[in-house]
């Protein structure tokens, strides 16, 4: 997501043509979750526009289409996958990882299917898998089985940290909606590769979001000192302040590790003035 109604005029200039919104977002953050690709594969022309609006170092973490992961559960979807891979080709190095988000019903007995699927994927992409079945978090044997399948192909396990969100009852309409839809999975902070990816869900109150991400600061700094290159996505139920919060998290990491490069300067939202 690189556009949001509440961002217009705050983080993104308004009005702004659709084909320029990603460029404006890329002034705030250097990575984006490609969640829309879950619902529909974009055209090559659309993806070419994405590439034109971003630097080669910008990171897209693109979700595989739901027909592949949820409807066909990784089997018999070769043509859908081929169309998707062809469509995203213009991104080149910007395709940081292809994100295999699996349904909550995909459990430890399905790991062999995942292993076969991953082995059949092109090796010119990196892959990251997000699971939601409780067994992978409660059963050490199930976790080891999954890690083995991922290790075999150099794929990452993407944690979706909702622990801070579920710590206390919701207080807004957006939080109440997320309360019924988001997975309640235990905190996981182990990286399998040199490019770990973390998805973090805070609260609509920025102060509580910042409070909840404190453990991730230690994790991120540790990964960076080990030579890893992590990607952190910061969400809130309404996402109203997400770009600013993402930059704040980055600043807090840099305060501990000054050698981390700063984020770019955002495109000015309003007209420049002389005073």
């Amino acid at each position: 997501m690189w556009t949001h109604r509440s961002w217009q005029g705050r983080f993104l200039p308004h009005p702004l043509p659709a084909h320029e919104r990603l460029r404006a977002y890329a002034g705030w953050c250097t990575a984006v979750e490609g969640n829309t690709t879950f619902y529909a594969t974009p055209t090559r022309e659309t993806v070419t526009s994405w590439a034109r609006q971003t630097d080669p170092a910008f990171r897209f973490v693109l979700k595989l289409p739901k027909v592949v992961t949820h409807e066909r559960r990784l089997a018999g979807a070769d043509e859908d996958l081929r169309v998707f891979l062809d469509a995203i080709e213009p991104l080149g190095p910007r395709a940081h990882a292809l994100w295999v988000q699996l349904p909550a019903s995909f459990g430890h007995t399905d790991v062999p299917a995942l292993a076969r699927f991953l082995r059949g994927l092109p090796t010119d992409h990196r892959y990251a898998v997000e699971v939601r079945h409780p067994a992978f978090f409660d059963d050490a044997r199930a976790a080891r089985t999954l890690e083995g399948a991922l290790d075999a192909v150099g794929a990452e396990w993407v944690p979706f940290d909702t622990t801070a969100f579920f710590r206390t009852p919701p207080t807004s309409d957006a939080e109440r909606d997320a309360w019924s839809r988001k997975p309640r999975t235990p905190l996981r902070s182990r990286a399998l590769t040199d490019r770990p990816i973390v998805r973090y869900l805070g609260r609509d109150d920025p102060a509580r979001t910042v409070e909840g991400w404190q453990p991730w600061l230690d994790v991120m700094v540790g990964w960076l000192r080990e030579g890893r290159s992590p990607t952190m996505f910061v969400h809130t139920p309404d996402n109203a302040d997400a770009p600013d919060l993402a930059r704040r998290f980055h600043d807090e990491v840099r305060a501990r590790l000054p050698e981390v490069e700063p984020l770019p300067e955002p495109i000015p939202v309003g007209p420049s003035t002389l005073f």
Side-chain angles (χ1 to χ4, degrees):
M1 182 175 70
W2 54 78
T3 183
H4 193 281
R5 180 174 297 178
S6 67
W7 299 354
Q8 297 177 23
R10 293 181 62 214
F11 305 123
L12 309 180
H14 180 71
L16 191 65
H19 64 274
E20 291 293 328
R21 292 171 187 168
L22 175 55
R23 189 188 312 279
Y25 170 90
W28 282 87
C29 301
T30 54
V32 71
E33 289 183 354
N35 191 54
T36 60
T37 56
F38 179 72
Y39 300 100
T41 295
T43 65
R44 279 180 67 98
E45 290 75 17
T46 295
V47 177
T48 299
S49 171
W50 298 350
R52 283 198 302 263
Q53 295 178 67
T54 52
D55 294 330
F58 188 86
R59 298 179 177 188
F60 286 85
V61 177
L62 298 168
K63 192 183 291 189
L64 262 60
K66 66 177 180 179
V67 66
V68 176
T69 56
H70 287 56
E71 295 174 13
R72 299 191 177 176
R73 297 174 70 89
L74 310 181
D78 292 353
E79 180 60 15
D80 298 285
L81 184 62
R82 184 198 66 76
V83 170
F84 173 77
L85 294 174
D86 180 71
I88 67 170
E89 191 273 336
L91 289 178
R94 299 168 185 81
H96 182 72
L98 301 188
W99 171 18
V100 186
Q101 186 186 75
L102 296 169
S105 60
F106 198 97
H108 67 283
T109 59
D110 298 303
V111 170
L114 172 63
R116 287 192 297 271
F117 177 76
L118 293 174
R119 288 196 302 268
L121 292 173
T123 57
D124 53 347
H125 285 291
R126 288 174 175 260
Y127 301 95
V129 176
E130 180 185 338
V131 292
R132 296 186 171 186
H133 194 287
F136 294 119
F137 303 92
D138 301 335
D139 184 335
R141 183 176 178 180
R144 287 194 300 270
T145 301
L146 176 59
E147 287 183 353
L150 299 178
D151 278 335
V153 295
E156 187 56 82
W157 180 337
V158 181
F160 184 21
D161 179 15
T162 60
T163 55
F165 174 70
F166 284 113
R167 195 164 292 151
T168 56
T171 59
S172 70
D173 289 342
E175 288 186 352
R176 280 185 283 273
D177 179 61
W179 193 269
S180 64
R181 295 186 299 105
K182 299 302 182 182
R184 301 190 184 207
T185 53
L187 180 63
R188 175 188 163 83
S189 59
R190 180 184 176 194
L192 301 181
T193 72
D194 63 343
R195 294 190 185 185
I197 298 168
V198 174
R199 306 181 65 228
Y200 166 74
L201 177 65
R203 300 294 293 256
D204 286 339
D205 178 357
R208 296 181 67 186
T209 297
V210 171
E211 178 186 7
W213 76 36
Q214 294 307 305
W216 284 111
L217 293 174
D218 293 332
V219 173
M220 289 291 164
V221 170
W223 283 345
L224 288 163
R225 285 176 173 158
E226 293 168 358
R228 304 180 197 262
S229 182
T231 304
M232 178 77 168
F233 293 112
V234 177
H235 294 270
T236 65
D238 64 10
N239 277 319
D241 298 307
D244 186 58
L245 287 165
R247 291 180 71 90
R248 181 168 175 179
F249 181 87
H250 188 272
D251 288 343
E252 291 193 10
V253 171
R254 287 193 73 226
R256 302 189 187 193
L257 212 60
E259 59 266 35
V260 172
E261 292 187 9
L263 290 171
E265 285 300 315
I267 297 173
V269 172
S272 59
T273 64
L274 295 176
F275 305 99

